[in-house]
């Protein structure tokens, strides 16, 4: 029976992994958004004579859509002059710490209803697409 040479792992984040024989195992859930997206490690094999060989090992974590978009403000308020038909109301912006397609989202204005001095104003639903960090001009 051939016994595998002792292997060791080093580098930033190597404590997130364990080597069992030739198998590399993850110690706990990895989160690219909160910890690190890329692990640049070094795998070292040592034989019975103490001779070693090293191999670089790069692990890239693939992003999953696990974060919600967040508006930059908790509340947006706009003022519009009466009898206006075209008016730039203001800007809203949101970001998402996911990357790529997982950072894309839609802005929705769902049945916005407001009462202005006895006059009922109702808009139809509006949808705007955006990427993380984009600013939406609505008006």
């Amino acid at each position: 029976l051939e016994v595998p040479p002792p292997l060791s792992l080093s580098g930033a984040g190597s404590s997130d992994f364990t080597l069992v024989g030739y198998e590399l195992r993850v110690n706990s859930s990895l989160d690219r958004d909160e910890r690190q997206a890329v692990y640049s490690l070094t795998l070292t094999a040592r034989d019975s004579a103490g001779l070693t060989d090293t191999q670089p090992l790069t692990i890239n974590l693939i992003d999953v859509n696990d974060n919600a978009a967040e508006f930059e403000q908790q509340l947006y308020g706009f003022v519009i002059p009466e009898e206006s038909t075209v008016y730039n109301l203001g800007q809203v912006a949101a970001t998402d710490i996911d990357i790529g397609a997982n950072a894309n989202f839609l802005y929705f204005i769902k049945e916005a209803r407001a009462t202005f001095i006895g006059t009922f104003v109702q808009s139809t639903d509006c949808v705007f697409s955006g990427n993380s960090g984009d600013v939406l001009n609505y008006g």
Side-chain angles (χ1 to χ4, degrees):
L1 216 186
E2 185 178 327
V3 176
L7 299 175
S8 62
L9 195 62
S10 60
S14 62
S15 61
D16 291 339
F17 303 92
T18 300
L19 281 165
V20 178
Y22 291 115
E23 186 176 84
L24 180 64
R25 296 182 183 174
V26 177
N27 291 333
S28 62
S29 179
L30 303 175
D31 189 331
R32 68 158 305 285
D33 303 315
E34 307 221 355
R35 294 175 70 191
Q36 63 189 90
V38 178
Y39 290 84
S40 297
L41 307 173
T42 301
L43 185 61
T44 302
R46 179 179 310 275
D47 68 12
S48 60
L51 301 173
T52 62
D53 189 22
T54 60
Q55 180 67 42
L57 176 63
T58 302
I59 301 170
N60 293 295
L61 298 183
I62 297 171
D63 186 45
V64 295
N65 195 359
D66 59 345
N67 294 288
E70 293 184 13
F71 282 100
E72 292 180 1
Q73 294 177 214
Q74 283 192 324
L75 178 65
Y76 289 89
F78 304 107
V79 177
I80 184 171
E82 66 179 337
E83 299 181 18
S84 296
T85 56
V86 176
Y87 193 79
N88 184 357
L89 294 176
Q91 297 179 339
V92 298
T95 57
D96 188 326
I97 62 172
D98 288 314
I99 61 170
N102 292 332
N104 297 340
F105 49 86
L106 297 175
Y107 290 98
F108 290 89
I109 299 175
K110 301 284 272 175
E111 293 192 33
R113 298 173 188 237
T115 302
F116 299 100
I117 312 174
T119 304
F120 183 72
V121 178
Q122 177 180 348
S123 71
T124 58
D125 291 354
C126 300
V127 179
F128 306 90
S129 63
N131 296 311
S132 183
D134 285 354
V135 174
L136 170 66
N137 289 306
Y138 181 70

